[in-house]
Amino acid sequence: MSRDPGLQPERTRLAWRRTLLAVTAILVLELRLAFTGRTVDALLAGLAVVIWSGVLLVGWRRATGVGPRGPERWSIPLTALAAAGLALLGVLHVLRGLR
């Protein structure tokens, strides 16, 4: 089966934009919680910034095709790990809120 050379790069860019938009929304929520004054929330927001930066870098490389070819094979597992990390942050917030 042949690949569509015209639309596939566009779909890839759009997918990475959606991923980055979702991660950015989570980052904004984390930063909002960080300004509540609790140290733990500030630390979790710092972790969210690190995850967001990683997803931004990987997404930029995947969407633009810039950078060495090596990291691309790790981009999907790293993005999945970032999603799991953000989900863990959400669970931590829920558990802290239940006390």
Side-chain angles (χ1 to χ4, degrees):
M1 181 174 197
S2 66
R3 301 172 87 183
D4 183 2
L7 293 179
Q8 184 177 6
E10 179 73 20
R11 287 191 295 261
T12 300
R13 278 192 297 273
L14 290 174
W16 280 106
R17 284 181 188 166
R18 285 190 302 268
T19 301
L20 188 59
L21 179 64
V23 174
T24 301
I26 294 170
L27 174 67
V28 168
L29 292 174
E30 285 291 333
L31 290 175
R32 182 172 177 255
L33 288 173
F35 288 111
T36 61
R38 293 188 283 191
T39 306
V40 174
D41 289 332
L43 291 174
L44 292 177
L47 182 60
V49 168
V50 169
I51 292 171
W52 178 82
S53 300
V55 171
L56 178 66
L57 179 64
V58 169
W60 178 71
R61 284 184 166 188
R62 292 280 298 190
T64 62
V66 176
R69 301 293 296 172
E72 287 187 9
R73 66 181 169 174
W74 295 101
S75 63
I76 301 299
L78 283 177
T79 304
L81 186 63
L86 292 173
L88 181 62
L89 284 177
V91 169
L92 288 174
H93 281 297
V94 168
L95 291 177
R96 289 186 63 233
L98 294 177
R99 290 182 188 175

